[in-house]
Amino acid sequence: MTRLWNDPADFADEMIDGFVAANGRYVRRVTGGVARSTQTPEGQVAFVTGGGSGHYPAFGGLVGPGLAHGAAMGNLFASPSTQQVLSVARAAENGGGVFLSYGNYAGDVLNFDAAQEQLRAAGIPCQTVAVTDDVSSAGKDEIHKRRGIAGDLTVFRIAGAAAERGLNLDEVTRLARRANDRTRSFGVAFSGCSLPGADEPLFEVKEGHMAIGLGIHGEPGLGDAAIPTADGLAEMLVARLLDELPADVTSARGARVVPVLNGLGSLKYEEMFVVYRRIAQLLSEEGITAVDPHVGEYCTSFDMAGTSLTLLWLDDELEDLWDTGVDTPAYRRGSVDASQLVLASADEVAGEDVIGDADDASRAIAKTIADAFDVWRTTIDENVDELGRLDAIAGDGDHGIGMQRGIHAAQAAARDAASRGAGAATTLARAADAWSDKAGGTSGAIWGAILAAVSGHLGDAGVPSASALAQGLEAAKERVAAFGAVPGDKTLVDSLNPLVETFSARVASGGSVGDAWRAAADAATAAAAATSDMLPQMGRARAHHEKALGIPDPGAHSLALLAQALLSTAQ
Amino acid sequence: MTRLWNDPADFADEMIDGFVAANGRYVRRVTGGVARSTQTPEGQVAFVTGGGSGHYPAFGGLVGPGLAHGAAMGNLFASPSTQQVLSVARAAENGGGVFLSYGNYAGDVLNFDAAQEQLRAAGIPCQTVAVTDDVSSAGKDEIHKRRGIAGDLTVFRIAGAAAERGLNLDEVTRLARRANDRTRSFGVAFSGCSLPGADEPLFEVKEGHMAIGLGIHGEPGLGDAAIPTADGLAEMLVARLLDELPADVTSARGARVVPVLNGLGSLKYEEMFVVYRRIAQLLSEEGITAVDPHVGEYCTSFDMAGTSLTLLWLDDELEDLWDTGVDTPAYRRGSVDASQLVLASADEVAGEDVIGDADDASRAIAKTIADAFDVWRTTIDENVDELGRLDAIAGDGDHGIGMQRGIHAAQAAARDAASRGAGAATTLARAADAWSDKAGGTSGAIWGAILAAVSGHLGDAGVPSASALAQGLEAAKERVAAFGAVPGDKTLVDSLNPLVETFSARVASGGSVGDAWRAAADAATAAAAATSDMLPQMGRARAHHEKALGIPDPGAHSLALLAQALLSTAQ
């Protein structure tokens, strides 16, 4: 359990500050995370990683010569926002393009992909590889759906080594992809973890039992079993990984692998060494050579107790790269020639914040928007635990705190903009940016997109018409659809679409904005409730996800809550 | 809590095997622990550290160029035996003498001092420095009584750097002593840890509270307090350390310190970075420069949750040494020139095991001795939890498992010797060696000494007389007295002395061995019970140790138990 914090809302930021204070030799603080304290050599590919905080040394602890050039550091267990990834990438980039790599989670994919698009639009070449090493998170035929866990380390090291050697962006990408193709992990967990300020652990594992294949944010695994002996666990981990050799590894016998026995936080070194003893024996018995074994904490989950075994199946090219020296706050290997490193200049200066013109009518709407965010903020604050509880059943339990971070940031930004004379469009756009930037994760990106889409139809002059609002909502629906979920996937789409369709239909048949919204809110509420009978999108194939039956989707539910709350301010 | 093991009795050995399997680049297995995989350069001082296991990376994880040359690795939370320290020292030594440094605990002092004596007796120069950084474990006027915690790291690094630079034994000793004089630590704990196979944690801390100054084996601290904010904890740690500057530091302002924020096991990096953020601010406000800050796990206590702050107050000489490169399994700093390192040869070959001559009468006594150990083994197995419980009140709770390890090893050695035709003296001597070697800790050394002393009066021919037995017991009493405890300290002495005195008196007045032993056992039992009313030796000054009132000393109690058990075999 987590015990030390000041204001839980400040935890991630203060953690990054302390991390930088302790590691100024290695890293400097940039907006959105950290970059190396030394400049990326001109023309070298800048390798930027990132993800939610709470997994130290992933991701900031892995920034330094031979490994990453920067890390976007999101909130606890929440993806960094698109803006954070972009900001770190821009700080690290120096003419060689940007290589992005991260663990394969929906929120990270969304935000890293969006950052990649924006970098390319700005003329900066960019490629990404999402790490998919966790064999328990999807079948062999759906490897692209697998989550990334401690295999992050092996993929990142190959990418970092390739960049360090001056290979170009295509080569770095090819090699990182090859490392990912040849990296497999399998893990177990013995206990959950609790985030700062949370009353309860994110999840629990039955005493004396272990959850097999459980995710590093508590995502459901393959089932439970009694905790075996240390040797029994080693045998289970090795057997599962030898059961699925990477496609181009023809035989385990004679192979060379890098084994990484990773601790999740409070399983300790001594126990891991006892387990590794048997792993080493088993690999040797199978005729496999262990190269540079790793036993320690490389990708944690706060103080969760558990461990995973990762195998990187080497080939000559990968093994050659593996020898590259690395020097980062949390990970050092071999030696790095520090003589050629140049200190980076001070962090970029923030641009001036100018509010555009608006007329009085739009400014009045802006105040109403700010008032609406006040109400929304109260609504989410009152429901934060319940939303977390719903999310914990099939997801990672952070929906409540993610929504809370987003709504608090959006409310402050809207109030600030409105008080400084911004019009309706600008006020809502500021709220949208603040939401996606501070909330991070999937829901942060989606809510940012919804608000930004509506904002595009409000204007900063005059009172927007009912049909303009309907167009804005239709645009939001399209933006959200572009994220990939379809109706019936048990996502926010299931309540957003009925809301938008009902609103549009009422407006088209001459209804007032107030009446149309009332009907739309009711449609969203009914639809959110109906998600109780659906299986969740990500776990469709998994029988244990059936426990998510009977509870509404938390995203659909929070949309409905906010739609209802808005009735008290809409007219 | 600890979850993974095979047979708990094998845990420490299997842990070392796994550690070596994962770190063959750095270390090789030698009897009693590990030594560097490379030879100590000829004439370089060999720095050997060590201690109980369960504190990784202390102590084996700190072996490598720039740090230790070897580590004696005892059982869990138990000092290595004298033989272990000796064996590692001999493997590491190469003409430059041996420097021993370790945390200041009774068992370690005893065994490292004994090893020092034996090395010197063999003509190998040897010096030792016990680390005493924990300010909460004794007052300013009794610094030599303070325990060693994470300050181990700073003292060891200075010693390792001095040896690496080729300084001689006196210089290495002087610098390590200076580093110890200028190192202070202060810590708190939030939860206990449980050893492999134990049903209960070694100790518990009230939920939401922290124990201030609690030791890394659960030794009592200064009291409890509610857990403060992260900033509040930082302020408390810094204030206490600034309150007691080392003798030759005249002013904090302008000083340069190495801060080490150490995690005990399951307090996580993210929390420590939040705390460190405030520590960095506070040091800066006081005009203190933080040099090479450390935030991580350097001296753990299994999965105990807690943290300590260490400050090493640098002077020019220490800061210069601090720059030396280090490359060990768990700790790397700067760069090490690996080109001049020479792989060590294979581990020493064990000598042939020859049993000396004996006559039939003595062989019959040897069988009786082996039978006695069978009974003792059963007695300890039945009482192991109770002995641990008694010890946990004022000590570290390992008396039961320490006795168990000792008696199991002694029983096996006695049975082996007796079955191979050894006489009484040889059989008991073998049991004595096995006990002290396998049990480690204070009680292991003491029991080894008791049995060895008695063995010296048995001979391998004929039946020893009652007065020979009495002389053996008197010798044992003297050997134990040499360890420093006096009657009334609430130690094993309190039951050993009445036992020996009663036995001698009965024998002197013509009693049979059986009668004398019966009276002696009863005297020991009564005396052990009487220790309930005494305050324990080490905590005499501490009011909270009063909770140890009303329970007998575990060492005195186990001696009485064994004395009674022997009645079933004595005649």
Side-chain angles (χ1 to χ4, degrees), chain B residues 153-524:
Chain B
L153 181 75
T154 57
V155 176
F156 293 175
R157 262 199 78 180
I158 293 299
E164 195 71 27
R165 296 210 183 163
L167 302 184
N168 68 27
L169 182 57
D170 286 345
E171 277 295 280
V172 171
T173 307
R174 178 182 69 80
L175 288 160
R177 198 161 282 148
R178 181 197 292 250
N180 186 50
D181 287 346
R182 297 176 75 107
T183 296
R184 296 283 186 282
S185 304
F186 184 55
V188 297
F190 307 113
S191 77
C193 58
S194 58
L195 298 183
D199 287 335
E200 299 197 351
L202 208 47
F203 63 93
E204 297 190 37
V205 179
K206 205 169 113 187
E207 184 69 29
H209 277 232
M210 62 182 186
I212 299 170
L214 184 112
I216 57 172
H217 315 96
E219 296 93 342
L222 303 174
D224 279 9
I227 298 178
T229 61
D231 284 0
L233 179 63
E235 284 150 20
M236 178 184 147
L237 295 175
V238 170
R240 177 65 185 86
L241 292 183
L242 294 192
D243 194 42
E244 187 198 311
L245 300 186
D248 57 348
V249 175
T250 49
S251 158
R253 189 158 297 275
R256 297 171 65 80
V257 303
V258 177
V260 179
L261 188 65
N262 178 62
L264 286 180
S266 68
L267 184 71
K268 295 321 297 176
Y269 309 103
E270 285 81 1
E271 297 173 271
M272 288 197 281
F273 285 130
V274 172
V275 175
Y276 185 74
R277 168 185 161 275
R278 184 69 186 134
I279 289 172
Q281 290 168 352
L282 292 164
L283 293 177
S284 170
E285 285 167 15
E286 296 289 336
I288 299 170
T289 303
V291 176
D292 190 19
H294 286 52
V295 179
E297 297 182 341
Y298 304 100
C299 180
T300 63
S301 187
F302 250 95
D303 64 339
M304 195 163 143
T307 185
S308 62
L309 177 64
T310 297
L311 296 181
L312 165 63
W313 298 81
L314 293 168
D315 59 15
D316 291 346
E317 204 172 13
L318 296 179
E319 187 159 352
D320 175 50
L321 286 167
W322 195 261
D323 273 340
T324 310
V326 180
D327 191 26
T328 76
Y331 187 87
R332 290 154 200 158
R333 235 49 191 187
S335 65
V336 166
D337 182 0
S339 61
Q340 304 194 336
L341 302 176
V342 182
L343 277 188
S345 54
D347 196 357
E348 69 269 54
V349 177
E352 211 182 332
D353 182 23
V354 181
I355 297 275
D357 281 342
D359 70 8
D360 287 348
S362 188
R363 286 182 175 147
I365 303 284
K367 298 263 186 235
T368 306
I369 290 172
D371 291 345
F373 275 105
D374 290 351
V375 172
W376 280 8
R377 180 184 156 129
T378 305
T379 303
I380 293 298
D381 284 349
E382 286 169 358
N383 287 278
V384 63
D385 290 340
E386 173 68 2
L387 292 173
R389 193 187 65 77
L390 297 180
D391 188 38
I393 296 180
D396 59 4
D398 69 353
H399 184 70
I401 55 175
M403 289 294 289
Q404 192 173 41
R405 279 196 297 258
I407 209 88
H408 281 230
Q411 182 269 339
R415 183 57 65 196
D416 173 68
S419 71
R420 290 163 64 205
T426 297
T427 296
L428 193 57
R430 295 283 173 117
D433 283 351
W435 190 319
S436 71
D437 193 26
K438 292 295 176 194
T442 311
S443 76
I446 289 177
W447 274 97
I450 292 174
L451 300 181
V454 174
S455 150
H457 291 262
L458 297 185
D460 281 334
V463 176
S465 66
S467 65
L469 290 176
Q471 285 165 30
L473 286 170
E474 291 287 349
K477 180 182 150 190
E478 277 166 44
R479 284 284 298 277
V480 172
F483 288 121
V486 296
D489 274 354
K490 193 161 181 163
T491 69
L492 166 140
V493 164
D494 292 315
S495 60
L496 178 66
N497 287 8
L499 178 143
V500 174
E501 287 152 15
T502 304
F503 187 89
S504 292
R506 289 290 174 117
V507 167
S509 61
S512 73
V513 169
D515 286 343
W517 191 263
R518 185 162 293 109
D522 289 345

Side-chain angles (χ1 to χ4, degrees), chain A residues 349-392:
Chain A
V349 176
E352 212 182 332
D353 181 23
V354 181
I355 295 276
D357 281 342
D359 68 9
D360 286 350
S362 189
R363 285 180 175 149
I365 303 285
K367 298 265 187 231
T368 306
I369 290 173
D371 291 345
F373 274 104
D374 289 352
V375 173
W376 280 7
R377 180 183 155 129
T378 307
T379 303
I380 293 299
D381 283 349
E382 287 169 0
N383 287 279
V384 61
D385 290 339
E386 172 68 3
L387 293 173
R389 193 188 63 78
L390 296 180
D391 188 37

Side-chain angles (χ1 to χ4, degrees), chain A residues 484-550:
Chain A
V486 295
D489 273 355
K490 192 159 184 167
T491 70
L492 166 141
V493 164
D494 292 316
S495 60
L496 177 66
N497 288 8
L499 179 144
V500 174
E501 286 152 15
T502 304
F503 187 87
S504 291
R506 287 290 174 118
V507 166
S509 60
S512 73
V513 169
D515 287 343
W517 191 263
R518 184 161 294 108
D522 289 347
T525 303
T531 60
S532 303
D533 302 325
M534 302 172 186
L535 275 175
Q537 175 193 22
M538 292 185 63
R540 193 176 279 279
R542 304 197 170 286
H544 62 263
H545 258 150
E546 285 171 9
K547 64 187 173 182
L549 280 172

Side-chain angles (χ1 to χ4, degrees), chain A residues 39 51 60 72 105 108 130-132 141 168 190 285 295 307 341 353 355-356 365 401 449 509 548 561:
Chain A
Q39 268 180 17
Y105 296 89
D108 294 289
V131 180
T132 55
D141 48 336
N168 68 25
F190 306 114
E285 285 166 14
V295 179
T307 186
L341 300 176
D353 181 23
I355 295 276
I365 303 285
I401 55 174
S509 60
L561 271 178

Side-chain angles (χ1 to χ4, degrees), chain A residues 59 96 117 181 204 238 246-247 269 273 310 322 329 344 375 415 476 501 519 532 539 547 557-558 563 568:
Chain A
F59 296 89
E117 260 177 57
D181 287 346
E204 297 189 38
V238 171
Y269 309 101
F273 285 130
T310 297
W322 195 261
V375 173
R415 182 58 66 197
E501 286 152 15
S532 303
K547 64 187 173 182
H557 181 58
S558 53
S568 69

Side-chain angles (χ1 to χ4, degrees), chain A residues 1-6 18 54-56 190 229-231 265-266 268-271 273 297 302 305 332-333, chain B residues 1 3-6 18 54-56 190 207 229-231 265-266 268-271 273 297 302 305 332-333:
Chain A
M1 78 180 274
T2 308
R3 296 175 181 84
L4 293 173
W5 62 83
N6 297 305
H55 303 299
Y56 193 86
F190 306 114
T229 61
D231 284 359
S266 67
K268 295 319 298 174
Y269 309 101
E270 285 81 1
E271 297 172 272
F273 285 130
E297 297 183 341
F302 251 95
R332 290 156 199 155
R333 232 57 188 183
Chain B
M1 83 180 271
R3 297 177 181 83
L4 293 173
W5 61 81
N6 296 305
H55 304 299
Y56 193 85
F190 307 113
E207 184 69 29
T229 61
D231 284 0
S266 68
K268 295 321 297 176
Y269 309 103
E270 285 81 1
E271 297 173 271
F273 285 130
E297 297 182 341
F302 250 95
R332 290 154 200 158
R333 235 49 191 187

